[in-house]
Amino acid sequence: MSGPLLLSLGIDRFLACQFPVIYRQLCSRSVIYLLLQLAVPIGYTTYITMSSYTQRDSETLVICQVPLALSGSSFEEFNTGGFIINVGVVIIYFVTFLKLRSLSVHESQLKVVFKSILYTVIFVILGWCTVTLVNILCIHLVADIDSQHIMMIYAGISLNMACASNVFVFYKINSDYRSAIQKLLEIKIPDKVYPMTSIIGSVTNGDLRKF
């Protein structure tokens, strides 16, 4: 469900940037809007799950690779659908990024927030896109089953790296996440002391000269 959820999140941010008035109206009915956002992810995941369940083969020995439990055409549907969804996520985030880049300087904080999310999504999407694309190519171009399994296992390395990179990306480029993670890990950072004497002194001296 992660790919469709990222697509829904991208659409949400696109609407917030491109159509703010309509977005506020949608958010005013939060329950209905949330159900609309979840409709595609839940529907897609339910279809893939039911499709794989109806085509299950109890006599097939599955090695330690979860997608191989998908039998028949459900495995190809999973990879094709996932690849299309991930490409859609990249497109929707790219269009939204172009919209954010055209905003005024006063919207710089919004750009910083989106930048942190954008980098994380790029890592995740590159991982999923690699896996689904390799799996599709294996199905149509590689005849030997053992070779297919080996290629799929190596392709999954990029996905695992992408999933594990989220926390490091957020920690590096977003101060809010950095402070939250430091608090979670009980890392104490010394507070900075800022001098205030110059402003107070100038005002005080000015007041004293009046007398």
Side-chain angles (χ1 to χ4, degrees):
M1 193 183 291
S2 60
L5 283 175
L6 284 174
L7 180 60
S8 295
L9 179 62
I11 294 174
D12 174 82
R13 299 190 179 278
F14 173 76
L15 292 175
C17 299
Q18 191 70 32
F19 307 102
V21 176
I22 297 177
Y23 183 74
R24 291 192 189 96
Q25 293 175 351
L26 292 172
C27 290
S28 64
R29 300 182 179 182
S30 56
V31 176
I32 297 177
Y33 181 56
L34 179 61
L35 292 177
L36 289 174
Q37 287 279 66
L38 294 176
V40 173
I42 292 177
Y44 171 78
T45 306
T46 302
Y47 170 77
I48 291 296
T49 303
M50 295 302 298
S51 176
S52 62
Y53 180 79
T54 56
Q55 301 181 59
R56 68 190 185 282
D57 183 5
S58 59
E59 297 182 358
T60 300
L61 296 178
V62 180
I63 59 178
C64 188
Q65 192 176 5
V66 177
L68 294 182
L70 303 177
S71 302
S73 62
S74 60
F75 183 62
E76 185 173 1
E77 292 172 350
F78 166 75
N79 288 285
T80 304
F83 183 77
I84 294 174
I85 289 173
N86 290 322
V87 171
V89 171
V90 174
I91 293 175
I92 196 70
Y93 269 86
F94 180 72
V95 173
T96 308
F97 175 78
L98 293 179
K99 176 63 179 180
L100 286 173
R101 193 174 63 175
S102 65
L103 295 177
S104 61
V105 180
H106 301 288
E107 303 289 343
S108 58
Q109 185 61 34
L110 181 61
K111 293 182 179 180
V112 172
V113 174
F114 184 81
K115 185 178 180 180
S116 64
I117 298 175
L118 179 65
Y119 283 171
T120 305
V121 170
I122 288 175
F123 275 96
V124 175
I125 294 304
L126 287 178
W128 273 112
C129 281
T130 301
V131 171
T132 53
L133 181 60
V134 169
N135 289 347
I136 292 172
L137 295 176
C138 286
I139 293 173
H140 295 282
L141 300 180
V142 181
D144 183 60
I145 299 297
D146 292 333
S147 299
Q148 290 183 6
H149 293 169
I150 294 174
M151 292 178 65
M152 292 175 184
I153 290 174
Y154 278 104
I157 295 176
S158 61
L159 173 60
N160 293 331
M161 293 177 60
C163 292
S165 67
N166 290 356
V167 63
F168 301 104
V169 175
F170 276 124
Y171 187 89
K172 176 65 177 178
I173 62 180
N174 191 289
S175 58
D176 293 332
Y177 284 103
R178 190 180 305 121
S179 60
I181 294 173
Q182 289 170 350
K183 184 178 180 181
L184 179 66
L185 299 177
E186 297 183 354
I187 300 175
K188 294 185 178 181
I189 306 298
D191 297 331
K192 294 182 180 181
V193 179
Y194 297 95
M196 300 177 64
T197 55
S198 59
I199 299 178
I200 298 175
S202 62
V203 175
T204 303
N205 294 336
D207 291 340
L208 288 174
R209 282 195 293 271
K210 293 180 181 178
F211 295 98

